[in-house]
Amino acid sequence: MTTELGGQRCARTVRGLITAGRLGPGEQLVEQSLVEVCGVSRNTLREGYRILADEGLVVHVPHRGVFVSSPGVAEVRDVYTARRVVECGALRERAGAGLAVGAARRPAATRLWWSWSSSSAAPGRPRRMGAGARWAT
């Protein structure tokens, strides 16, 4: 069993506040209020700040304080690129798994798509449904 140290627990609490949107980008972290929220000493809170700074969630500005990171355009673009790769890969994986199961276990929309794509085009129906498919006949 692993025990969570004070700095790690404090970092988890502040991370939760950031991801929940209670602490916004560019917002200064007020030490006194976070000491009370985390129930730790200032030194332990600062240890949590170091953990969060290593993760890139906060930025320490000397003689000014600690602030929630504000992602730039490049970082936001990187996040959405990564999401697109992961989510599209998951969809492809799921679609491939759907082909292996019997038609009775496929969702109705998948069965409809496969019936349309594998049959000859009937009047009023598109040959294939998918990206760029047209509903007009």
Side-chain angles (χ1 to χ4, degrees), residues 98-106 111:
L99 298 176
V101 298
R105 294 186 59 196
R106 289 186 198 141
R111 287 194 306 272

Side-chain angles (χ1 to χ4, degrees), residues 19-91:
T19 57
R22 293 184 57 200
L23 296 172
E27 186 173 339
Q28 185 172 7
L29 302 181
V30 180
E31 195 172 81
Q32 187 57 42
S33 63
L34 288 175
V35 162
E36 293 171 9
V37 168
C38 294
V40 296
S41 69
R42 288 177 28 193
N43 286 334
T44 304
L45 177 65
R46 291 174 184 161
E47 183 182 332
Y49 284 166
R50 282 190 288 279
I51 293 169
L52 295 171
D54 288 343
E55 295 173 2
L57 288 175
V58 300
V59 176
H60 177 257
V61 179
H63 308 293
R64 300 233 20 245
V66 179
F67 298 83
V68 177
S69 294
S70 297
V73 173
E75 290 92 356
V76 172
R77 188 174 294 131
D78 288 345
V79 167
Y80 279 100
T81 299
R83 283 189 63 185
R84 183 175 54 236
V85 168
V86 170
E87 292 171 2
C88 289
L91 289 172

Side-chain angles (χ1 to χ4, degrees), residues 95 98-99 106-119 127-129:
L99 298 176
R106 289 186 198 141
T110 305
R111 287 194 306 272
L112 181 63
W113 185 88
W114 283 109
S115 68
W116 283 359
S117 66
S118 60
S119 66
R127 173 165 274 163
R128 287 192 178 265
M129 288 180 56

